[in-house]
Amino acid sequence: MSRFDHLFAQLSAKKQGAFVPFVTLCDPDFDRSFDIICTLVDNGADALELGFPFSDPLLDGPVIQAANNRALQAGCSTAESFRLVEKVRSKYPQIPIGLLLCANLIYAQTLDVFYQRCAQAGVDAVLVADIPLLAAQPYIQAARKHGIQPVFICPPNADEKTVQGVAAHSEGYTYLVSRAGVTSAEDQTHAANLDSLIEQLKTHGSPPILQGFGIAAPAQVRAALQLGAAGAISGSATVSIIERHLHDHAQCLSALADFVKAMKAATR
């Protein structure tokens, strides 16, 4: 049983949902990023979704774009990102770790080398943001070869064929996007058909569904669970806390701790 599978089994037994924060690795630098990730885990994060810094992120709005830029300006490379993941895995052997990144970062390493490196670092799952299902087979094969669970996005405009494909090929969890557009904590509107998509995904045997995009407050976590999702992912809201406290690291960690505690409390 994978770490994600084990997590969702445990949460189901407790009648809880999952709260999963997203941060960009090495934002604002390697050491502070490690402190930030530790704070997330120590204050109740059920799993981690971590981004590799990239100059041209496709799904990300201004907040996460700025995080990418900070990490790149701090000299963070793919190698440094993996080194940070290894450090997190060493401290937290059981926390599920998913990566969210663009295909160019994988392609530059070659698929086999990248997924092998994921396995060595202790990564559990990888979501490639810009690879559609029709082009995903080489990534799925490379991931499974090295024991990494491939994750796919179900967009709010997904037709039946897309829903079926996402459900069939995702492992660990399924990423349900709340609305069209890019990531943003400010835009908290959600598509009207999310309950229908969740029902369809479950009908097709999807792994547990995590809802993301615009999840910035405990009420939205509760709403995602009421729709039938297994939990919620919060990226821009988490990263905006880092951005607001760049010049006061202690205050940053304190604010993140309070945020995670509140979001996790909403899952109970």
Side-chain angles (χ1 to χ4, degrees):
M1 182 180 284
S2 75
R3 290 185 184 92
F4 274 107
D5 297 339
H6 185 66
L7 169 69
F8 287 117
Q10 282 187 318
L11 291 175
S12 178
K14 296 176 185 175
K15 296 185 173 10
Q16 290 183 18
F19 174 63
V20 183
F22 167 93
V23 292
T24 299
L25 289 160
C26 299
D27 172 33
D29 56 46
F30 186 98
D31 291 332
R32 284 188 285 176
S33 182
F34 180 68
D35 290 344
I36 285 165
I37 294 168
C38 291
T39 298
L40 300 176
V41 178
D42 292 344
N43 286 280
D46 292 299
L48 296 167
E49 188 178 66
L50 304 175
F52 274 32
F54 184 54
S55 57
D56 299 289
L58 297 179
L59 288 179
D60 294 322
V63 171
I64 298 178
Q65 286 178 20
N68 278 271
N69 289 335
R70 289 192 296 269
L72 292 171
Q73 288 167 7
C76 185
S77 62
T78 295
E80 282 288 277
S81 296
F82 273 126
R83 189 164 74 85
L84 182 51
V85 172
E86 286 178 329
K87 190 172 182 180
V88 172
R89 172 56 72 218
S90 179
K91 183 168 182 178
Y92 302 102
Q94 301 308 318
I95 190 84
I97 296 175
L99 300 184
L100 193 161
L101 73 169
C102 291
N104 276 5
L105 292 174
I106 299 175
Y107 195 74
Q109 308 282 312
T110 76
L111 271 65
D112 193 64
V113 168
F114 180 85
Y115 284 103
Q116 182 180 43
R117 190 72 186 85
C118 286
Q120 292 168 347
V123 171
D124 297 292
V126 173
L127 192 168
V128 188
D130 51 346
I131 291 295
L133 278 169
L134 58 86
Q137 204 55 43
Y139 293 83
I140 294 170
Q141 291 172 351
R144 289 175 175 166
K145 174 183 175 182
H146 294 287
I148 304 298
Q149 294 182 302
V151 176
F152 290 93
I153 289 174
C154 180
N157 63 344
D159 58 20
E160 179 72 16
K161 183 178 179 181
T162 300
V163 170
Q164 187 171 357
V166 168
H169 295 298
S170 291
E171 298 179 18
Y173 66 97
T174 301
Y175 195 127
L176 175 66
V177 173
S178 302
R179 51 163 174 74
V182 295
T183 57
S184 170
E186 283 70 42
D187 185 354
Q188 297 176 17
T189 60
H190 290 166
N193 64 331
L194 294 183
D195 53 348
S196 173
L197 287 174
I198 289 171
E199 184 177 341
Q200 290 178 62
L201 284 165
K202 290 181 177 180
T203 297
H204 290 296
S206 164
I209 299 158
L210 297 178
Q211 183 181 327
F213 277 44
I215 304 291
Q220 293 168 304
V221 175
R222 287 191 288 269
L225 297 178
Q226 288 166 1
L227 285 175
I233 296 172
S234 180
S236 293
T238 308
V239 175
S240 67
I241 295 171
I242 300 171
E243 185 176 56
R244 288 199 300 270
H245 299 289
L246 286 172
H247 303 296
D248 190 338
H249 188 50
Q251 184 57 36
C252 175
L253 299 182
S254 176
L256 284 169
D258 290 344
F259 175 72
V260 173
K261 287 175 184 174
M263 297 294 267
K264 177 55 193 171
T267 71
R268 298 188 178 99

